[in-house]
Amino acid sequence: MSRLHAANRPLLEVESVVKEYQRRRVVDGVSFHVERGDILGFLGPNGAGKTTTIRMIMGITAPDSGTIRFSLEGRPSGDIPRPRIGYLPEERGLYKNARVIDVLLFLAGLKGMSTREAKREALNWLERLGLGAHARSKVEELSKGMAQKVQFIAAVLHRPDLIVLDEPFSGLDPANQELFKAEIRRIAEEGAAILLSSHQMNLVEETCGRIFLIHQGRRVHYGPLHEIKAAHGGHRLTLITSDPAWHPPPLPQLERVRSEGGRWHALLSPGVSPAEALRALPADAPIEEAQVSRLSLHDIFIRSTTGGYGAELGSGTAANGAAEGASSS
């Protein structure tokens, strides 16, 4: 049965939250909300304050000031509804010597599920994620990707209202990344509110509708992804040519031009439209393919947190994939 989307207030509200450690303000006046059906990408570089904020939401630590409220039935409360929250931590917390099904039943029981219901749901989830044959395997016998699937199941098995996913795609191959994205979207469509933290910007961009970017404890960007990208206004141009020796001539319409793996990448200069940039290229250029796109979330992340470009002119997949396995702050 699908959850009801009815709620006059966001399921989770974080308002002006502050947290200090040893007189250092690691979270500085952070505010955001997550609604039912929402997938909010909670992003930031290492040390930005993401993990501290998540720990406050989970009740592991308390804010020094500010408010965290939950509204499960439209009634706001400062109490943390732990049985109705699902949490996938970045660090795995599974019992290595236990069987997969026993781990899932134990964790579901802590959330208030009956053994009968938990077993039925756990077996369904294991089949859905391709682990049906491993229900009685020990956790230590699983691959990294398989263990990540089990931990994901443990986070969502009890049908929580709020789900916090910290690096959910870690250890997954591309096919299973697609599977996770589909399941996360499906769960949100059924009415859960999802807070997703990851360094894999390409996967965040493909999964999340809204973004919160934190840097040095403060909010940098917050809102719908398409609005954030539009506000940056920049475009990236990628050229694939039939002549590896050819290179674009110096053009005022292009900046930060570089070659990578037989492709040319450039940013369009401020105020230059994609059509204008393409018209400026030589008519006899041996261009087989030209691609123009908005700056990616990876580009915006680098620009917003370093003031530079880093690998933003490289292929988005390669640049984003390099972040896999990086630790959350």
Side-chain angles (χ1 to χ4, degrees):
M1 181 176 63
S2 299
R3 303 173 183 86
L4 295 177
H5 285 255
N8 294 324
R9 304 180 64 99
L11 192 147
L12 169 67
E13 296 175 276
V14 177
E15 290 188 2
S16 304
V17 166
V18 172
K19 186 66 180 179
E20 294 185 355
Y21 289 112
Q22 298 178 345
R23 298 184 179 179
R24 175 176 172 264
R25 187 165 289 195
V26 296
V27 177
D28 190 0
V30 163
S31 299
F32 62 87
H33 69 268
V34 192
E35 302 178 359
R36 291 186 181 276
D38 203 2
I39 307 176
L40 177 66
F42 190 54
L43 313 176
N46 294 336
K50 299 190 306 298
T51 296
T52 299
T53 304
I54 290 173
R55 287 169 63 87
M56 289 188 285
I57 292 170
M58 299 297 297
I60 299 172
T61 187
D64 296 325
S65 62
T67 304
I68 297 176
R69 288 189 297 269
F70 297 87
S71 301
L72 296 181
E73 275 81 33
R75 297 187 300 272
S77 172
D79 295 333
I80 299 172
R82 288 183 175 85
R84 300 176 70 173
I85 298 177
Y87 179 41
L88 189 158
E90 180 184 8
E91 301 298 330
R92 290 175 177 79
L94 302 175
Y95 301 98
K96 294 183 179 180
N97 293 322
R99 295 183 304 173
V100 168
I101 188 65
D102 293 335
V103 170
L104 293 175
L105 294 182
F106 171 72
L107 294 175
L110 295 179
K111 296 293 186 177
M113 290 188 79
S114 68
T115 301
R116 181 178 180 180
E117 181 185 14
K119 186 172 184 179
R120 181 182 68 251
E121 290 297 316
L123 292 175
N124 287 339
W125 267 108
L126 289 169
E127 287 292 340
R128 182 179 298 156
L129 298 189
L131 293 179
H134 296 276
R136 298 191 174 276
S137 299
K138 289 187 176 181
V139 171
E140 64 183 359
E141 298 171 351
L142 303 179
S143 68
K144 184 178 179 180
M146 290 178 178
Q148 185 72 348
K149 289 182 179 182
V150 174
Q151 192 143 293
F152 178 82
I153 294 172
V156 303
L157 181 61
H158 58 292
R159 296 181 59 80
D161 295 274
L162 172 67
I163 304 170
V164 180
L165 304 175
D166 196 352
E167 298 294 346
F169 306 107
S170 176
L172 300 179
D173 60 37
N176 282 306
Q177 289 174 356
E178 291 297 320
L179 178 62
F180 263 42
K181 286 189 296 182
E183 290 297 339
I184 291 169
R185 293 190 199 103
R186 183 184 62 80
I187 292 170
E189 289 170 359
E190 291 182 351
I194 298 177
L195 185 68
L196 190 158
S197 178
S198 176
H199 284 103
Q200 294 170 273
M201 295 297 112
N202 59 324
L203 300 178
V204 172
E205 188 167 358
E206 295 164 1
T207 308
C208 301
R210 296 194 306 127
I211 299 296
F212 184 98
L213 176 58
I214 184 173
H215 182 44
Q216 296 179 345
R218 298 182 179 181
R219 184 181 87 184
V220 178
H221 297 298
Y222 176 46
L225 177 57
H226 71 275
E227 292 183 4
I228 293 173
K229 295 182 74 171
H232 276 259
H235 288 83
R236 174 210 299 262
L237 172 65
T238 299
L239 301 175
I240 302 174
T241 68
S242 58
D243 182 0
W246 181 87
H247 59 83
L251 296 170
Q253 292 85 357
L254 304 179
E255 60 182 38
R256 303 182 185 272
V257 180
R258 68 176 259 186
S259 176
E260 182 185 72
R263 301 184 179 206
W264 286 95
H265 304 278
L267 291 184
L268 273 58
S269 300
V272 174
S273 70
E276 183 181 354
L278 292 173
R279 285 197 302 267
L281 294 170
D284 60 350
I287 297 172
E288 296 288 333
E289 185 175 341
Q291 302 169 348
V292 179
S293 61
R294 286 281 189 186
L295 292 182
S296 69
L297 182 58
H298 175 85
D299 300 339
I300 295 170
F301 182 98
I302 296 296
R303 175 180 285 183
S304 301
T305 59
T306 71
Y309 287 81
E312 75 177 45
L313 294 183
S315 64
T317 302
N320 294 329
E324 183 174 356
S327 298
S328 294
S329 60

